[in-house]
Amino acid sequence: MEESLGIVERVVRAGCAKGCSWYVVGSVYVRPDRVFSRLVKALEDEGALLHYVDEVERRIVFKIGFRGLAKLAGLIALSSRAVSLELKASCRIASWAEALECIMDKYRVFKRDRESGTVVAYGVVGGRIVEAEVKGSRLHLKIGRRFGGSLRSAPPQGLFRLSLEEVLELMGHGGG
């Protein structure tokens, strides 16, 4: 899909952001009829970093790479009653202004702290909202949903919560 290539490929090919590592941060509520420990073990086996595991709520919060998520997509879909994912990247950059200019169609800086070197901007890439946070020479991107609004104010964080199908599509694995 061209939109998918417009985001991931655009960042990779832009040349202004180097050594990007793409990953997914997810929150999954496991169905009562499914085996909770099986999903936890599968995530661990794929190298996921488990941030939060609650057997009572049957909730798992994790960080995993593209390949691991692609391998576990079927198990996550079958065993989960609710899934919320964030697609993120971390890249090296020389200049934050140059990086934002070559990656995004349009953007607006919302926070700039000269003391810490932190810059937070929101922009649009291929019709999707993107959050960019720069800390020193690192650019952290968070890819969101389709966005047709204005950048006059910071968009709600709910726009950055994606379904499993959306993330798989953006990763180039189709919708499921």
Side-chain angles (χ1 to χ4, degrees), residues 116-163:
S116 69
T118 302
V119 175
V120 176
Y122 292 94
V124 177
V125 177
R128 288 186 175 267
I129 189 73
V130 175
E131 178 185 87
E133 182 178 25
V134 179
K135 293 181 180 178
S137 63
R138 296 298 298 179
L139 171 64
H140 304 279
L141 299 171
K142 188 182 338 178
I143 311 302
R145 296 181 182 272
R146 302 236 1 103
F147 184 75
S150 81
L151 295 172
R152 280 182 259 162
S153 61
Q157 287 298 303
L159 286 176
F160 297 97
R161 292 188 197 104
L162 305 173
S163 69

Side-chain angles (χ1 to χ4, degrees), residues 1 10 15 17 19 25 27 41 45-46 53 55 61 73 101-102 108 110 118 120 129 142 147 154 159 163 167-168 172:
M1 191 171 206
R10 190 164 172 180
V25 174
S27 174
K41 182 173 179 353
D45 290 347
E46 286 304 322
V53 177
E55 291 183 39
V61 177
E101 190 67 36
C102 76
R108 180 169 178 218
F110 282 88
T118 302
V120 176
I129 189 73
K142 188 182 338 178
F147 184 75
L159 286 176
S163 69
V167 171
L168 290 173

Side-chain angles (χ1 to χ4, degrees), residues 104-122:
M104 298 195 188
D105 300 329
K106 61 181 177 177
Y107 71 92
R108 180 169 178 218
V109 174
F110 282 88
K111 177 183 164 190
R112 187 171 178 193
D113 185 345
R114 293 185 192 278
E115 212 171 284
S116 69
T118 302
V119 175
V120 176
Y122 292 94

Side-chain angles (χ1 to χ4, degrees), residues 25 35 60 67 80 88 97 131:
V25 174
V35 180
I60 307 166
R67 288 185 187 145
S80 304
K88 298 183 172 190
E131 178 185 87

